Amino acid sequence: MTLYTSRQIGLNGRHGGMIAPVIAVGGCDLHGPQSALSPAGVGAEQISSLFWWMAGGAVLIWAVVIGIALYATLARPRKKHDVQGARWLIIGGGIVFPTVVLTILLSYGLMLIPKLRSTGNVDLHVAVSGEMWWWRVRYTSPAGEPVELANEIRLPVGKRVSLSLTSPDVIHSFWVPSLSGKVDMIPGRENTLILEPTKPGTYRGVCAEYCGASHAFMAFRVVVMEPQDFEAWLTHQAQPAVSSGSPSARQGEQAFLVNGCGACHTIRGTAADGRVGPDLTHVGSRLSLGAGMLPNDAQTFARWIGHTQQIKPEVRMPSFGMLPEEQLTALATYLSGLK
Ligand code: CUA
């Protein structure tokens, strides 16, 4: 919220010297990539229209009740103000009117539930698991092979996508405000959320349930693409890793295998087949590092590997700051080259 004086917004003349506070909503970005009020999916559209109807109902009730209160306080006593009339004003404006408005809003909200919860007619299935503190994402390739990725979900525009949501240890909550409502990820359970994106673009998702030290550091991106671009992307992601083969990248690949990184990470096409941490087969092609925390370039990659625990407290991966600078650089060159 921002307070402006009349001068700041250019109101001069008769009102020039008067401070006319104008309240403008300046602090919240209604059209950002993480806004429930700028919907880009069917679920978010319904939730946003519910929000505006409820806001309208609240303003209406407020205006009527305050109007009656002002009338009651300011009106001069006159003969025709009888007890009967006052009673009807209180019952009508204070009880009947709010009850009718709230009942209409409740019915409208309840009517949206069956459509929001329906899980039929699905074009694509994606499995997402909330980890400490990142997102494991699993697709099935066009050839029927499982393809695992991390911290990035790509979706074809106009299709109905079923996400099966779970977690191996603690409760997280999956939320992409621009596309839909939030759903908890509960260990031992599989919850379903339908996403039906309507506008291509890149949206931001977050964990909406406190889940430990780095709860605030597990963001992700959802990229909504044209269906043919999505197919091409998924086909590429299903391929094994291709290293640039430069001397530094070769040294990095050696360092990756020698230092035991493959015990936790998979790089398809190499001996690394760990399952604890994110799959790194195409890590260089991702939009961010460390689950939405850092830009994805070689320099940042080296910093991430050397200072993992400082950047993301209590994450399962230890910091590898004990490695010589040259090895860190080679590792970063190798990994950021896996496009
Ligand atoms: Cu995961 Cu909060």
Side-chain angles (χ1 to χ4, degrees):
M1 300 269 268
T2 319
L3 273 175
Y4 297 98
T5 65
S6 53
R7 275 190 201 285
Q8 283 171 304
I9 58 168
L11 276 179
N12 284 312
R14 197 152 65 90
H15 305 289
M18 209 173 81
I19 292 178
V22 176
I23 297 170
V25 181
C28 33
D29 184 2
L30 295 186
H31 298 287
Q34 191 188 317
S35 169
L37 299 181
S38 175
V42 173
E45 277 162 17
Q46 288 172 316
I47 292 168
S48 143
S49 71
L50 177 64
F51 169 81
W52 287 116
W53 278 107
M54 291 190 119
V59 169
L60 199 62
I61 292 175
W62 183 85
V64 169
V65 172
I66 293 297
I68 293 173
L70 285 177
Y71 174 71
T73 338
L74 302 178
R76 291 220 189 92
R78 268 179 279 159
K79 272 211 181 105
K80 65 174 183 167
H81 286 142
D82 55 15
V83 175
Q84 190 74 356
R87 191 172 293 143
W88 277 115
L89 197 60
I90 291 168
I91 294 174
I95 301 173
V96 177
F97 174 71
T99 307
V100 169
V101 175
L102 292 176
T103 307
I104 293 171
L105 289 175
L106 177 67
S107 314
Y108 176 59
L110 292 175
M111 261 163 48
L112 295 179
I113 292 178
K115 199 172 171 204
L116 282 169
R117 287 185 55 108
S118 127
T119 53
N121 299 325
V122 166
D123 302 301
L124 174 72
H125 285 272
V126 183
V128 184
S129 170
E131 310 278 329
M132 292 164 86
W133 285 273
W134 57 282
W135 309 84
R136 190 189 295 274
V137 181
R138 200 175 300 120
Y139 287 82
T140 306
S141 77
E145 298 280 311
V147 184
E148 202 171 289
L149 319 165
N151 304 324
E152 200 167 299
I153 299 173
R154 301 213 176 209
L155 302 174
V157 67
K159 304 280 183 194
R160 263 173 81 81
V161 184
S162 165
L163 298 187
S164 79
L165 305 173
T166 188
S167 161
D169 34 43
V170 298
I171 298 177
H172 306 267
S173 182
F174 181 97
W175 192 26
V176 192
S178 304
L179 297 182
S180 188
K182 60 183 98 153
V183 170
D184 277 3
M185 311 171 98
I186 302 167
R189 271 188 69 143
E190 216 177 271
N191 287 337
T192 303
L193 173 68
I194 299 289
L195 295 185
E196 205 172 339
T198 51
K199 286 182 209 155
T202 302
Y203 307 100
R204 191 170 186 270
V206 289
C207 178
E209 171 97 28
Y210 181 71
C211 54
S214 283
H215 154 73
F217 301 136
M218 55 182 300
F220 60 102
R221 306 278 171 84
V222 179
V223 184
V224 176
M225 317 167 85
E226 293 299 334
Q228 65 273 23
D229 295 343
F230 170 77
E231 292 295 332
W233 169 81
L234 186 55
T235 306
H236 175 72
Q237 292 288 321
Q239 308 288 319
V242 180
S243 167
S244 74
S246 70
S248 180
R250 276 209 301 275
Q251 194 195 340
E253 184 172 357
Q254 276 305 311
F256 190 88
L257 297 172
V258 167
N259 287 301
C261 309
C264 292
H265 296 284
T266 290
I267 297 182
R268 281 177 272 123
T270 74
D273 60 357
R275 303 273 307 122
V276 179
D279 184 302
L280 301 179
T281 306
H282 295 284
V283 68
S285 72
R286 289 183 195 144
L287 296 172
S288 70
L289 280 185
M293 291 191 71
L294 302 168
N296 190 356
D297 56 59
Q299 212 181 353
T300 317
F301 222 131
R303 190 155 66 86
W304 168 251
I305 300 168
H307 303 88
T308 325
Q309 288 293 322
Q310 287 96 317
I311 298 173
K312 187 176 282 203
E314 292 184 26
V315 69
R316 296 262 159 90
M317 178 170 154
S319 302
F320 280 80
M322 72 300 228
L323 294 181
E325 196 65 39
E326 193 196 340
Q327 277 204 33
L328 279 178
T329 310
L331 269 170
T333 308
Y334 167 59
L335 291 170
S336 54
L338 298 176
K339 300 281 185 188

